[in-house]
Amino acid sequence: MDNKNISIIHPRPSSIVAALYTLRDLNVDVAILHGPPGCSFKHARLLEEDGIHVVTTALDESGFVFGGHDALVNILHKVNDMFHPKLIGVVGTCASMIIGEEMREPVMEANLDVPVIEVEVHAGYRNNTKGVLFALESALDAGIIDREEFSRQQHLLEEATNVELRHGAASKEYLAPSRGDVKYKVAQRIIELLKEGKRGITIMNAKKETGYMFADITLAVNEVAEQLGKADNIINMSNTDVGLGLPRVRHHAECIMKDFEEKGLKVHEIVGGLDEYPVAGATIDKLIEEKYSDYDFAVISGVPHAIPMDHLSGMEIISVTNGPRQVLPLKELGHEHVLVEIDLHPKTLGVNHIVESEFGATLREVAKESL
């Protein structure tokens, strides 16, 4: 089969969910799913934990036949009265889009004194980034973001899609999920490397709020290095530029950098914003070539497959991801050790401080036994 036309048969995030998360990053107070109450239930519930209200027009079999115009007008009025939002999002679903619902008209009819971002999207797009793009286009039309930020986000989306096609979850027709390598054995290996006086780089290349847990990997490696008297052997890179990204994304970067500072951790190289994980690899690769090519190992967390192997190939690579289907592609790239942080995403929603990771906790405990 032509790699460019692979039919991905394992489950993947949908465009509807991607649109919901983008509305969250735009600081929408309420997101209305125009469709059945069960659509995207898990993520809708998670987003409630992250501080926004997610409601539905609760379309039923009758609505599938006769439409949901009135239901959408009614729920717009209801959420405005209940939550007094400053910004509302309306997201289509497969059901409402298949029956041809047009969402602009009911929004105009509701005539609220609140900006509303309408996202006409379903889950049938090949790339889930379509949901992000549609949300951003509507935000641009509503004056929530400017043209420069829209163009920047559009470029990042294109690159994110390319990263997944090259070495990610969209790189093969089917990828079996895996929990990766055993964490305590990899922890032992890092301690062994440090005891031998090897020099290492921590690279956090995380996606948005997942940075709250991936940052803990950076903290744990540095804590153990300090306990072993090898603190100077570690260089830290992270994509936590506080000036880049949609409002909520910038806030995440500020929180993580504040925690780093309070823990006394020095970030030697800022390699981009928390939404720049698809493009930060080029910056990281250049830095390694120019300054760190003779280092012995690298601990990469977040989206490791977005980082070129050109100047990492001489190092022992330990990677930490939250994608069980990412283990095989990373092994094929040459990453010796690949670890998976299961359930990372639910643990990083609704927080504003670094969250302890399973591997970070393991590394700390193994270090106690080794000292």
Side-chain angles (χ1 to χ4, degrees):
M1 183 179 292
D2 186 341
N3 284 337
K4 293 180 180 177
N5 296 303
I6 293 175
S7 176
I8 309 301
I9 60 174
H10 52 67
R12 300 190 64 216
S14 80
S15 301
I16 299 167
V17 172
L20 281 171
Y21 277 95
T22 304
L23 291 175
R24 184 269 323 255
D25 291 340
L26 288 161
N27 279 345
V28 158
D29 301 295
V30 182
I32 300 171
L33 271 167
H34 187 31
C39 182
S40 303
F41 164 69
K42 180 181 177 183
H43 287 280
R45 187 172 62 180
L46 287 173
L47 284 168
E48 290 265 11
E49 298 293 322
D50 209 19
I52 73 170
H53 302 288
V54 183
V55 300
T56 86
T57 48
L59 288 186
D60 57 12
E61 291 170 308
S62 174
F64 297 166
V65 176
F66 298 107
H69 175 102
D70 293 346
L72 182 51
V73 173
N74 291 337
I75 199 70
L76 281 163
H77 284 297
K78 191 162 188 171
V79 298
N80 197 42
D81 293 340
M82 287 179 70
F83 304 120
H84 309 292
K86 295 178 181 175
L87 184 60
I88 298 173
V90 180
V91 182
T93 64
C94 294
S96 58
M97 294 298 99
I98 286 172
I99 63 174
E101 287 285 284
E102 196 279 328
M103 299 194 298
R104 183 63 181 164
E105 187 178 331
V107 168
M108 295 295 289
E109 186 175 323
N111 194 29
L112 303 181
D113 189 21
V114 178
V116 178
I117 302 173
E118 306 130 25
V119 190
E120 296 195 0
V121 64
H122 53 71
Y125 294 100
R126 187 178 181 86
N127 299 313
N128 63 15
T129 48
K130 277 287 187 184
V132 182
L133 183 61
F134 292 160
L136 292 169
E137 285 174 342
S138 294
L140 176 65
D141 292 341
I144 307 300
I145 60 173
D146 59 25
R147 174 64 65 180
E148 182 180 356
E149 181 61 24
F150 174 78
S151 298
R152 177 177 168 277
Q153 293 289 335
Q154 192 175 32
H155 171 63
L156 294 177
L157 290 171
E158 290 168 356
E159 291 303 313
T161 299
N162 291 334
V163 165
E164 293 308 309
L165 288 171
R166 282 196 300 268
H167 304 298
S171 61
K172 294 184 187 298
E173 185 177 40
Y174 182 76
L175 284 162
S178 166
R179 296 298 179 96
D181 295 312
V182 177
K183 291 183 174 65
Y184 85 88
K185 288 188 175 179
V186 181
Q188 287 177 328
R189 180 59 184 155
I190 290 178
I191 291 167
E192 189 177 289
L193 288 165
L194 287 168
K195 283 183 173 179
E196 291 172 359
K198 304 293 187 184
R199 295 187 300 169
I201 310 170
T202 72
I203 304 171
M204 185 181 108
N205 187 39
K207 180 179 181 180
K208 302 179 182 179
E209 67 274 10
T210 66
Y212 285 117
M213 187 175 283
F214 288 125
D216 184 60
I217 309 294
T218 299
L219 282 178
V221 172
N222 280 268
E223 287 169 18
V224 171
E226 185 171 358
Q227 290 166 16
L228 293 168
K230 306 292 184 184
D232 293 339
N233 286 27
I234 301 296
I235 289 292
N236 302 306
M237 301 185 188
S238 73
N239 63 325
T240 44
D241 189 321
V242 299
L244 294 173
L246 298 179
R248 191 172 290 236
V249 174
R250 296 198 300 272
H251 176 68
H252 295 326
E254 290 168 3
C255 292
I256 291 170
M257 288 302 290
K258 184 179 177 185
D259 280 0
F260 277 158
E261 186 178 345
E262 288 178 358
K263 296 283 186 181
L265 184 134
K266 180 180 179 181
V267 178
H268 301 84
E269 310 284 359
I270 297 289
V271 295
L274 276 172
D275 57 1
E276 293 194 322
Y277 64 92
V279 299
T283 303
I284 294 165
D285 185 57
K286 187 176 181 184
L287 282 167
I288 293 173
E289 179 186 17
E290 294 176 350
K291 300 169 70 173
Y292 309 112
S293 60
D294 57 344
Y295 273 58
D296 303 293
F297 69 98
V299 181
I300 309 174
S301 63
V303 188
H305 55 289
I307 301 174
M309 289 295 291
D310 301 15
H311 299 98
L312 282 169
S313 56
M315 302 182 198
E316 186 168 336
I317 303 175
I318 299 110
S319 288
V320 188
T321 174
N322 64 324
R325 298 185 193 277
Q326 199 55 59
V327 174
L328 178 62
L330 284 169
K331 290 281 187 180
E332 289 179 342
L333 274 172
H335 295 222
E336 282 90 341
H337 316 282
V338 181
L339 307 171
V340 180
E341 289 287 341
I342 295 294
D343 295 332
L344 176 149
H345 206 215
K347 295 174 183 173
T348 54
L349 289 171
V351 303
N352 55 17
H353 288 287
I354 292 174
V355 176
E356 186 174 60
S357 62
E358 189 176 328
F359 181 58
T362 303
L363 182 57
R364 293 179 179 102
E365 285 301 312
V366 174
K368 285 180 188 174
E369 298 169 1
S370 304
L371 294 174

